[in-house]
Amino acid sequence: MTLLLARWQFAAVTIFHFFFVPMTIGLGLLVAIMQTLAYRRKDAEWDRMSRFFGRLFLINIAVGIVTGIVLEFQFGLNWSSYSVFVGNIFGAPLAIEGLLAFFLESTFIGLWVFGRGRLSPRLHLATIWLVSTGTILSAFFILAANAWMQHPVGYRVVHGQAVLTNFWAVLGNSTLWESFAHTVLGAFSTGGLLVLGISVWRAHRESSNEAHRSAFLRATRFAAAFTLAAVILTAVSGDAQARLMDSQQPMKM
């Protein structure tokens, strides 16, 4: 019964957490592109769109961080025996994710939020690109831990514990790179569809305000093109990942 409850708890938190992860990764990149267009073209409409979708991005990243912290604790509480056995390996990419990617996100998201009007436009633009980079790096290191579970490499078992022998083998895991490409491209597709849906709805709602309607129509065209490209690449990367996973299955006698 305890095991069943632990599984249900972990599954529920994971599902809820992952509602926000792809939206955060996708929105981070899209907001960065919108702000870049606003900066380079001195365009008020793109600036308005970067501010509007930037607020949605902040909500997503805040909820994603809170639920992600709960998952980290569950590794040590719900799955303590597993953590003791593979903690030397499994914990390494998760620690790097926290110390590198998470702090990159959290530091520069603060500068992006409170630095508008205080930092130079170019430096302020750089902060959102660093935040977007941080979200993608977070996905990479978390998927590195997950890929090792699916395809263990670079380790040996010593005195009943898995010990890391080659960290670069973990980062070079073939399963990691295929799953990383598919996951991130899927996140871009999700972010693009979110921007597309909201932009269409707001363009219709703001029919009486031509300035707002024009801005959301522009965002609609941009999001449609972005999403189409992302969806195609997601399908291609998914096929490549499926082929790789199939090739790694043990041969049936």
Side-chain angles (χ1 to χ4, degrees), residues 18-30 33 136 180-198 220 222-238:
F18 202 76
F19 284 152
F20 301 93
V21 170
M23 289 189 289
T24 297
I25 296 173
L27 278 175
L29 178 63
L30 284 162
I33 294 173
I136 295 171
F180 173 68
H182 185 58
T183 301
V184 171
L185 288 169
F188 291 163
S189 301
T190 304
L193 285 169
L194 181 67
V195 172
L196 178 60
I198 292 174
T220 298
F222 165 68
F226 179 91
T227 303
L228 178 61
V231 167
I232 292 172
L233 291 173
T234 301
V236 172
S237 63

Side-chain angles (χ1 to χ4, degrees), residues 15-57:
I15 292 170
F16 185 76
H17 173 65
F18 202 76
F19 284 152
F20 301 93
V21 170
M23 289 189 289
T24 297
I25 296 173
L27 278 175
L29 178 63
L30 284 162
V31 170
I33 294 173
M34 289 177 183
Q35 188 166 336
T36 300
L37 292 171
Y39 170 76
R40 298 194 62 172
R41 300 179 182 179
K42 309 300 181 185
D43 193 305
E45 286 188 349
W46 280 123
D47 183 62
R48 186 181 302 123
M49 291 298 94
S50 69
R51 290 169 182 262
F52 177 83
F53 288 106
R55 287 192 288 270
L56 297 180
F57 172 65

Side-chain angles (χ1 to χ4, degrees), residues 122-177:
R122 179 178 294 184
L123 186 56
H124 188 255
L125 174 61
T127 60
I128 188 60
W129 277 107
L130 287 169
V131 173
S132 177
T133 301
T135 64
I136 295 171
L137 284 174
S138 285
F140 176 78
F141 287 111
I142 291 170
L143 287 168
N146 180 267
W148 186 86
M149 291 194 295
Q150 312 304 322
H151 184 230
V153 294
Y155 78 103
R156 68 175 187 270
V157 177
V158 178
H159 304 304
Q161 286 187 316
V163 177
L164 183 65
T165 59
N166 188 347
F167 182 67
W168 298 112
V170 175
L171 295 186
N173 195 336
S174 59
T175 306
L176 165 62
W177 289 98

